[in-house]
């Protein structure tokens, strides 16, 4: 299940603790430097920490191989202070977690929304970012993890239902595990059963959070320029990469391994719907690991992608990301309409709508394109997008901080009402 809610505090332009509903289509619109990308970057910072495979850092804010390069903690914290924590929280919706300790019980599972919220701080001398606290929730159960205030800075977990303090260790990054030593274990069978239940529940809900973060897919605003020939980097790529650098690798992998080529067919259909081309065509250069990439245009001509308008090479990663997205994932896009004509940009709405509804994914994007926003509202009027599956946030900078206003959308099947002047003009048509 994709991310359902996002909570952020003291991160970039976001000062106060703010919660955002993440819908199948979620759009952030505003001026430059207003804070449109802050929510996307908060999610990516957690996701890239797990994907990079280095278990040491609590969170990766910058790295040679990071998808987003945010900088040092003190530069990212809204207060620019080492003493105040950055907080990022996710809710991933309803889950059912079985409890092996209750096989004979009438309530063998914990059922409800699963969420995690992390508070990060940094040392001044070493610039090491650490988890100061974390709160995990699964339905009616909640755990609060706190870091000790004195060396060796041990962690303890409080089971909020029983108010028991349990010894805890950080296993890697922002993941934790109860330890069967010290306080909280007890000697009675009942105590041991309760401890194991807490251990299991904390493990399972963190696995759900980790799985969802690993399922996120991010495409940034700066994408790879078109090449004359593309190297095939093997069949292990699962996403296009922050700059779209693995786009052709994904397509080439399907070209080599599949006769059906489902993704290529879908992408070609989208290219045609956008009015950009009939098809993208790949051809292997002899027996090498190089591929030529061409576009078949509407007039039948076939030209190398490097000889065509820049917009084609910039939108191809967007379409590829949507096609290859796993079911239940969260897709993050910055300026997906980059270098597209306004007509093509508006038609991207249909691509995102189809992807969101057919794959049960949530598409989160920040954009400058009014035409794209208008088209999503048109999809509501045409009955192709339920209004409760679209969230539009208007972003502006007020007194040094980002301010977010969710646009009210009312649709009664005949009339569309929007409470934001920026987009209200559509309802007059």
């Amino acid at each position: 299940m994709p991310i359902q809610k996002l909570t952020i505090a003291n991160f970039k332009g976001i000062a106060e603790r703010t919660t955002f509903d993440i819908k199948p289509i979620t759009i952030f619109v505003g001026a430059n430097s207003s804070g449109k990308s802050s929510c996307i970057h908060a999610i990516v910072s957690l996701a890239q920490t797990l994907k990079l495979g280095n278990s040491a850092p609590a969170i990766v804010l910058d790295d040679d191989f990071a998808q987003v390069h945010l900088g040092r903690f003190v530069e990212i914290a809204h207060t620019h202070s080492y003493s105040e924590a950055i907080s990022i929280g996710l809710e991933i919706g309803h889950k059912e977690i079985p409890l092996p300790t209750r096989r004979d019980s009438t309530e063998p599972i914990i059922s409800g929304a699963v969420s995690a919220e992390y508070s990060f701080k940094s040392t001044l001398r070493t610039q090491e970012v650490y988890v100061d606290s974390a709160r995990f929730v699964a339905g009616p159960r909640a755990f609060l993890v706190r870091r000790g205030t004195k060396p060796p800075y041990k962690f303890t977990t409080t089971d909020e239902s029983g108010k028991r303090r349990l010894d805890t260790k950080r296993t890697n990054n922002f993941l934790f595990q109860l330890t069967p030593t010290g306080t909280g274990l007890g000697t009675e069978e009942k105590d041991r059963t309760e401890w194991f239940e807490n251990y299991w529940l904390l493990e399972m809900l963190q696995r759900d959070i980790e799985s969802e973060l690993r399922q996120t897919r991010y495409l940034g605003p700066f994408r790879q320029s078109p090449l004359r020939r593309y190297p095939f980097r093997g069949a292990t790529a699962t996403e296009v990469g922050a700059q779209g650098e693995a786009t052709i690798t994904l397509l080439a992998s399907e070209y080599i391994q599949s006769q059906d080529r489902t993704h290529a067919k879908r992408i070609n259909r989208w290219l045609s719907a956008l009015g950009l081309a009939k098809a993208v065509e790949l051809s292997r250069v002899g027996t090498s690991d190089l591929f030529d990439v061409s576009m078949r245009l509407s007039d039948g001509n076939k030209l190398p992608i490097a000889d065509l308008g820049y917009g084609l090479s910039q939108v191809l990663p967007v379409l590829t990301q949507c096609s290859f997205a796993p079911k239940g994932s969260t897709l993050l896009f910055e300026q997906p309409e980059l270098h597209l004509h306004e007509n093509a940009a508006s038609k991207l709405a249909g691509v995102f709508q189809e992807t969101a509804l057919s794959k049960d994914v949530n598409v989160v994007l920040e954009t400058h394109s009014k035409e794209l926003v208008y088209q999503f509202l048109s999809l509501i009027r045409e009955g192709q997008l339920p209004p409760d599956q679209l969230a539009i946030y208007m972003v502006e900078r007020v007194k040094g901080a980002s301010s977010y206003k969710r646009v009210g959308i009312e649709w009664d099947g005949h009339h569309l009402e929007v409470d934001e002047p920026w987009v209200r003009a559509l309802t007059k048509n």
Side-chain angles (χ1 to χ4, degrees):
M1 180 177 290
I3 295 168
Q4 305 291 302
K5 291 183 183 292
L6 175 65
T7 300
I8 306 174
N10 192 34
F11 182 86
K12 300 184 69 176
I14 302 174
E16 302 299 324
R17 189 174 186 272
T18 307
T19 297
F20 304 87
D21 287 323
I22 305 299
K23 297 296 184 179
I25 304 293
T26 304
I27 310 172
F28 292 91
V29 185
N32 294 100
S33 301
S34 59
K36 297 189 305 299
S37 62
S38 293
C39 293
I40 289 174
H41 289 172
I43 298 173
V44 177
S45 64
L46 293 179
Q48 71 184 11
T49 301
L50 298 172
K51 291 179 181 181
L52 286 172
N54 182 353
S55 63
I59 185 171
V60 174
L61 301 174
D62 203 352
D63 182 271
D64 288 343
F65 300 100
Q67 291 188 314
V68 293
H69 302 277
L70 300 174
R72 297 181 300 141
F73 176 93
V74 74
E75 296 167 331
I76 300 159
H78 181 79
T79 57
H80 301 298
S81 168
Y82 289 96
S83 62
E84 296 185 46
I86 287 173
S87 293
I88 305 173
L90 305 173
E91 182 181 308
I92 58 173
H94 187 93
K95 294 283 185 177
E96 293 187 343
I97 302 176
L99 295 175
T101 54
R102 301 189 188 183
R103 291 176 182 171
D104 301 325
S105 172
T106 57
E107 298 180 0
I109 60 175
I110 296 295
S111 179
V114 168
S115 65
E117 185 168 347
Y118 308 93
S119 292
F120 300 97
K121 287 186 176 181
S122 173
T123 61
L124 174 61
R125 185 174 63 84
T126 65
Q127 300 291 301
E128 177 189 0
V129 181
Y130 59 88
V131 181
D132 186 56
S133 67
R135 187 171 186 266
F136 304 97
V137 178
R141 301 291 297 276
F143 301 92
L144 179 61
V145 179
R146 289 190 180 278
R147 180 180 186 260
T149 57
K150 297 180 180 179
Y153 303 111
K154 291 184 177 181
F155 289 94
T156 58
T157 296
T158 301
D159 169 16
E160 294 186 3
S161 64
K163 303 300 182 183
R164 299 179 64 193
R165 292 185 64 194
L166 308 168
D167 281 4
T168 307
K169 66 179 179 180
R170 185 175 72 94
T171 55
N172 54 58
N173 302 129
F174 43 80
L175 303 177
F176 296 90
Q177 189 178 82
L178 301 185
T179 58
T181 58
T183 62
L185 184 56
T187 57
E188 300 294 329
E189 182 65 26
K190 178 182 177 182
D191 293 334
R192 292 181 179 274
T193 299
E194 185 177 332
W195 179 90
F196 181 70
E197 183 176 292
N198 288 331
Y199 171 90
W200 177 266
L201 186 55
L202 185 61
E203 284 282 298
M204 292 301 102
L205 71 87
Q206 285 187 104
R207 287 187 188 183
D208 286 336
I209 294 291
E210 179 181 7
S211 175
E212 183 50 50
L213 285 170
R214 290 185 181 277
Q215 289 275 71
T216 62
R217 300 290 186 264
Y218 168 72
L219 181 62
F222 305 108
R223 292 162 217 158
Q224 186 183 61
S225 298
L227 304 177
R228 286 291 167 188
R229 283 182 172 168
Y230 289 83
F232 176 60
R233 297 184 174 91
T236 59
T238 59
E239 56 185 298
V240 300
Q243 296 184 341
E245 65 274 12
T247 298
I248 303 305
T249 293
L250 284 170
L251 294 174
S253 180
E254 182 186 53
Y255 178 91
I256 293 170
Q257 298 181 27
S258 171
Q259 293 296 320
D260 184 57
R261 295 173 186 166
T262 302
H263 293 293
K265 291 178 181 177
R266 183 184 296 122
I267 292 167
N268 290 341
R269 174 167 57 81
W270 285 338
L271 283 169
S272 180
L274 294 175
L276 296 175
K278 281 189 174 181
V280 57
E281 298 182 5
L282 277 69
S283 59
R284 195 166 194 167
V285 181
T287 59
S288 72
D289 286 335
L290 296 175
F291 279 81
D292 288 329
V293 179
S294 301
M295 289 285 182
R296 180 76 62 181
L297 303 181
S298 57
D299 61 6
N301 285 324
K302 176 182 173 181
L303 295 172
I305 193 170
D307 292 337
L308 294 167
Y310 208 65
L312 276 167
S313 67
Q314 301 301 287
V315 78
L316 187 58
V318 176
L319 305 182
T320 304
Q321 191 87 294
C322 287
S323 184
F324 281 85
K327 287 186 179 295
S329 57
T330 301
L331 305 185
L332 310 170
F333 295 98
E334 291 192 67
Q335 297 182 48
E337 77 282 0
L338 195 67
H339 293 292
L340 288 183
H341 183 272
E342 60 185 31
N343 288 337
S346 69
K347 292 174 182 177
L348 272 177
V351 174
F352 293 137
Q353 175 265 352
E354 178 185 335
T355 303
L357 300 188
S358 66
K359 293 194 171 190
D360 189 29
V361 307
N362 284 353
V363 177
V364 183
L365 58 96
E366 62 94 3
T367 182
H368 293 123
S369 173
K370 291 184 179 182
E371 291 75 23
L372 179 56
V373 176
Y374 288 163
Q375 188 60 31
F376 280 117
L377 293 170
S378 291
L379 291 174
I380 291 177
R381 297 179 69 178
E382 295 164 7
Q384 298 183 47
L385 181 65
D388 63 351
Q389 299 198 3
L390 173 66
I392 303 173
Y393 290 94
M394 303 300 299
V395 190
E396 61 178 335
R397 195 164 179 84
V398 179
K399 296 181 179 179
S402 298
S403 174
Y404 299 84
K405 177 196 172 186
R406 183 170 174 181
V407 175
I409 301 172
E410 297 289 339
W411 170 245
D412 63 5
H414 302 282
H415 303 286
L416 181 66
E417 293 292 336
V418 182
D419 70 357
E420 171 56 46
W422 193 84
V423 291
R424 190 177 294 154
L426 180 68
T427 65
K428 305 303 180 184
N429 296 335

